[in-house]
Amino acid sequence: MTFAMGLGVPGQVLVVPLFVGLAHVNLTNSDFGLAMVYVGLAMPFTVFLLTGFFAGIPAILEEAAVIDGAGPLRSFVSVVLPVARGGLITAFLLQFISSWNETLFALVLTNSQDKITLSVALQEFAATQQFNGLDYGTMFAGVCIILAPMLALFSWLGTRIIQGMTVGIGK
């Protein structure tokens, strides 16, 4: 229930508290601090999504593994994880795409040129070009550089996303 309530909190509300908290522990201009924020923001949706996948796994599979002599860890790794692979891949891809495209927290929590993300670099480029006339060719090249890995990832694992999101719809 706590994770479901976390879905109702918009990320923009958390910008100032996260900045103050990370500033107290000197993580405002670090990759680790930004990664912690991304993982924390991804947790409610990921838990909400994966709860349905793990609840849909028949208990008889785990019982069969226990009868065969597998312990709880072995049963989870050998039986449950392969069955939930579609859900795990779906959750990973959705959260990776969300983090890749995120600009607000990267803009607020990083302030040195060697720590900024691609989306922040493109935004800064557009801001510098604002008064000189936008160089559309360079801007399009930047957008293609940012978009290419996501298109490749989605074309490679896109069917898994569709399968993962439609599990349990039909009979």
Side-chain angles (χ1 to χ4, degrees):
M1 182 61 100
T2 304
F3 285 106
M5 290 181 357
L7 288 172
V9 178
Q12 295 84 352
V13 174
L14 302 173
V15 171
V16 174
L18 282 173
F19 181 80
V20 171
L22 289 174
H24 277 78
V25 292
N26 296 325
L27 289 176
T28 52
N29 194 28
S30 70
D31 295 332
F32 181 70
L34 194 59
M36 281 181 32
V37 169
Y38 288 159
V39 168
L41 291 174
M43 282 289 236
F45 177 74
T46 304
V47 168
F48 182 72
L49 180 69
L50 290 180
T51 299
F53 283 103
F54 284 107
I57 296 174
I60 197 162
L61 293 175
E62 292 179 75
E63 293 170 4
V66 170
I67 290 172
D68 288 342
L73 181 64
R74 175 84 174 169
S75 172
F76 181 74
V77 170
S78 298
V79 176
V80 176
L81 281 182
V83 173
R85 182 178 56 207
L88 292 169
I89 291 173
T90 301
F92 169 76
L93 284 175
L94 291 175
Q95 293 306 330
F96 186 76
I97 290 170
S98 174
S99 297
W100 184 266
N101 294 326
E102 199 280 323
T103 305
L104 177 65
F105 288 101
L107 185 64
V108 172
L109 297 176
T110 57
N111 55 9
S112 65
Q113 285 298 112
D114 61 333
K115 298 288 183 184
I116 62 172
T117 60
L118 286 175
S119 58
V120 173
L122 187 64
Q123 184 269 333
E124 287 180 0
F125 175 75
T128 59
Q129 296 292 313
Q130 180 178 4
F131 299 110
N132 301 337
L134 204 55
D135 181 9
Y136 290 107
T138 309
M139 181 66 81
F140 184 70
V143 169
C144 288
I145 289 170
I146 292 173
L147 199 59
M150 291 300 102
L151 287 175
L153 191 64
F154 188 78
S155 66
W156 180 43
L157 295 172
T159 56
R160 296 277 187 172
I161 293 177
I162 295 167
Q163 288 172 353
M165 296 299 276
T166 57
V167 166
I169 289 178
K171 287 187 173 188

